[in-house]
Amino acid sequence: MDESIKKIALLGMGTVGGGVYEILAKQKPNMPAKIGCTLEVAKVLVRNKAKYADKVPADQLTDQWSDVINDDSISIVVEVMGGIEPARTYIREALSKGKHVVTANKDLMATHGHELLEIAREHQCDLLFEAAVAGGIPIIRPMKQCLLGNDITEVMGIINGTTNFILTKMAEDGMEFDDALKLATDLGYAEADPTADIEGYDAGRKLAIMASIAFHSSVTFDDVYTEGISKITAKDIRYAHELGYEIKLLGLAKLTPEGIEVKVHPTMIPLQHPLAAVKDSFNAVFVHGDAVDDAMFYGRGAGALPTGSAVVGDIMDIARNMQYHCTGRIGCSCYQSLPVKDMSETRSSYYIRMKLEDRAGTLAALAGLFGSNNVSISMLLQKAKEGNTAEVVIVTYDVLEKQFMDSITVIKTMSMVKEISSIIRVHHA
């Protein structure tokens, strides 16, 4: 192979960009042996050049996109800016000019991934995005390549480190949500505005990307049902432990005869399930295929170097493809057009914690109402009593979401029901 130099433009120099820059510098001596060429950062696009003057040589720094797009010597554009615009425009223009692209942008790929992959195909370019899901954990490439001999029917996992850290602290230290969130913020696990993490939006974007690849059908973020962890209490976690469960924010994508299910929500999973043991900011993803059965991918889901590792892996993959003149060989794999099921048509078991008036006939009336909506009760426990109010925990059998929610709507109107404190879905498999 020709041990040439492949020039790179880095768009953004934040946490991930800094990690990519550091790894590229460290790996430079080994590149000829690893990929048959050397990778060289030609340009680093930033908003404020002065901010990075002590980190990046002046001849590499630019605040003008034209310095990147009009430089024909740059063959690989690495987008680590985040957000939809101008990232989308930059990637479209780069691909249209025949430049290969690596991105870590889950927001963009979950919304416009299909469009961008089509542009890459038209121009026989590589568009790789391993870092857009689960940080340093390899999951996109394994599903696109290593597991291609499988019909994948389910992908589920913990794909947001911030929420997993919060739930871990609530479980192990008995912290309430607000205190655990403050700790996560103080330690740098949570952003100043943590909404995308704690409300499930970040995980929802990652799940949309994984579902599209797993089921070969386009799934966007708008298709994903999302529910966050802000209503989870230390009491719910304690009761879950008593019942033999751990509470985790899970992303669940499932292929059914009626279509694709994609949902992110707090979930009670059995303590013996491997995901129950995934703690702190770690991520883990389960993939079920008809040939491989269950495969689990575990590791750091975020951070400068873990995410940078995934980005640099993609860059090296593209450089190797360029050396062998085989770019554009693995593009969009969405050759099907499957429906995405409405959340109301999915099935689950449920944990309900409520406060009831403590008088004769209350539980019988409650059970009767559930029964009239085809909701069967698996477990009913009285946990506490204050005056004439009893706290009750109910776990249902598997039921259609619509039927369960219809029951809850009626139950809320019953005079004997003082409060529905928590509703959490239960995963048994």
Side-chain angles (χ1 to χ4, degrees):
M1 288 186 296
D2 175 25
E3 293 186 6
S4 59
I5 295 173
K6 309 297 183 190
K7 291 190 176 182
I8 300 166
L10 193 58
L11 312 186
M13 196 59 180
T15 300
V16 178
V20 171
Y21 195 82
E22 180 181 339
I23 294 170
L24 285 171
K26 183 179 180 181
Q27 287 293 319
K28 191 169 185 177
N30 300 320
M31 286 176 185
K34 283 189 171 183
I35 57 175
C37 66
T38 299
L39 299 169
E40 181 181 285
V41 177
K43 293 295 179 186
V44 178
L45 178 66
V46 294
R47 286 197 183 97
N48 181 0
K49 291 196 294 182
K51 182 178 178 181
Y52 302 99
D54 60 339
K55 299 178 181 178
V56 180
D59 63 333
Q60 292 181 4
L61 280 174
T62 182
D63 55 8
Q64 299 297 315
W65 168 239
S66 58
D67 290 341
V68 174
I69 194 65
N70 295 327
D71 187 340
D72 293 335
S73 72
I74 293 172
S75 54
I76 304 173
V77 173
V78 182
E79 186 275 306
V80 284
M81 304 164 60
I84 301 297
E85 289 292 352
R88 180 189 179 195
T89 296
Y90 290 171
I91 291 176
R92 285 173 57 97
E93 292 182 1
L95 292 170
S96 296
K97 286 203 73 171
K99 299 181 189 294
H100 308 286
V101 174
V102 175
T103 179
N105 195 327
K106 58 184 171 289
D107 296 27
L108 183 61
M109 293 306 296
T111 307
H112 300 289
H114 186 74
E115 166 205 357
L116 297 175
L117 285 165
E118 281 300 305
I119 296 172
R121 181 189 60 79
E122 289 171 16
H123 296 275
Q124 292 186 299
C125 289
D126 282 335
L127 170 57
L128 303 184
F129 49 97
E130 185 65 62
V133 177
I137 302 173
I139 187 63
I140 302 301
R141 189 175 282 101
M143 286 200 295
K144 274 182 170 280
Q145 299 183 44
C146 309
L147 298 176
L148 200 57
N150 286 258
D151 288 329
I152 296 174
T153 53
E154 189 170 13
V155 178
M156 64 176 286
I158 297 166
I159 47 179
N160 181 271
T162 301
T163 51
N164 202 47
F165 176 84
I166 290 170
L167 291 172
T168 299
K169 291 304 172 185
M170 292 176 71
E172 294 187 346
D173 300 339
M175 300 176 74
E176 290 295 348
F177 172 79
D178 289 340
D179 296 328
L181 173 59
K182 183 180 184 304
L183 178 62
T185 304
D186 292 343
L187 294 175
Y189 290 116
E191 302 287 344
D193 180 1
T195 303
D197 291 324
I198 64 174
E199 296 303 333
Y201 306 149
D202 173 82
R205 293 182 176 101
K206 295 170 182 175
L207 189 66
I209 295 169
M210 290 195 295
S212 297
I213 294 167
F215 309 138
H216 307 290
S217 184
S218 180
V219 177
T220 68
F221 173 57
D222 289 341
D223 294 321
V224 183
Y225 171 85
T226 55
E227 182 181 317
I229 65 167
S230 57
K231 295 179 182 178
I232 302 297
T233 68
K235 179 182 283 189
D236 290 317
I237 292 176
R238 189 169 68 251
Y239 288 173
H241 289 172
E242 292 177 17
L243 294 168
Y245 295 96
E246 192 68 81
I247 297 177
K248 296 290 185 181
L249 182 74
L250 293 188
L252 301 112
K254 188 174 183 180
L255 184 63
T256 75
E258 298 78 31
I260 297 170
E261 295 181 6
V262 272
K263 51 188 182 177
V264 171
H265 52 66
T267 309
M268 290 172 56
I269 55 174
L271 289 171
Q272 63 269 27
H273 194 288
L275 288 177
V278 178
K279 298 181 179 181
D280 295 320
S281 61
F282 281 87
N283 282 196
V285 179
F286 261 90
V287 178
H288 183 83
D290 62 336
V292 76
D293 198 26
D294 286 326
M296 180 176 172
F297 302 82
Y298 169 86
R300 294 284 181 186
L305 294 180
T307 307
S309 165
V311 172
V312 173
D314 279 350
I315 297 170
M316 288 182 163
D317 208 20
I318 289 174
R320 189 185 288 118
N321 289 345
M322 292 173 68
Q323 291 290 92
Y324 283 102
H325 308 288
C326 59
T327 56
R329 64 191 178 88
I330 301 175
C332 183
S333 58
C334 296
Y335 57 83
Q336 301 192 87
S337 190
L338 303 175
V340 177
K341 292 169 65 175
D342 187 81
M343 185 63 181
S344 65
E345 298 302 317
T346 65
R347 300 183 69 86
S348 183
S349 296
Y350 295 84
Y351 156 101
I352 314 105
R353 177 167 61 87
M354 61 178 69
K355 292 181 180 179
L356 304 176
E357 186 177 337
D358 188 23
R359 60 180 171 85
T362 296
L363 294 180
L366 192 64
L369 193 145
F370 272 128
S372 66
N373 282 281
N374 295 314
V375 180
S376 297
I377 296 175
S378 167
M379 192 181 303
L380 192 154
L381 304 170
Q382 182 171 317
K383 301 301 299 180
K385 184 178 178 182
E386 292 182 11
N388 67 340
T389 301
E391 184 175 59
V392 171
V393 167
I394 294 173
V395 179
T396 75
Y397 283 106
D398 198 49
V399 63
L400 196 66
E401 171 102 0
K402 183 180 185 302
Q403 293 173 333
F404 176 79
M405 290 304 173
D406 285 347
S407 298
I408 293 299
T409 299
V410 178
I411 286 171
K412 286 179 178 178
T413 67
M414 299 171 72
S415 60
M416 70 183 89
V417 177
K418 301 301 181 184
E419 176 183 289
I420 296 181
S421 308
S422 296
I423 297 174
I424 304 170
R425 292 169 185 84
V426 182
H427 183 82
H428 295 294

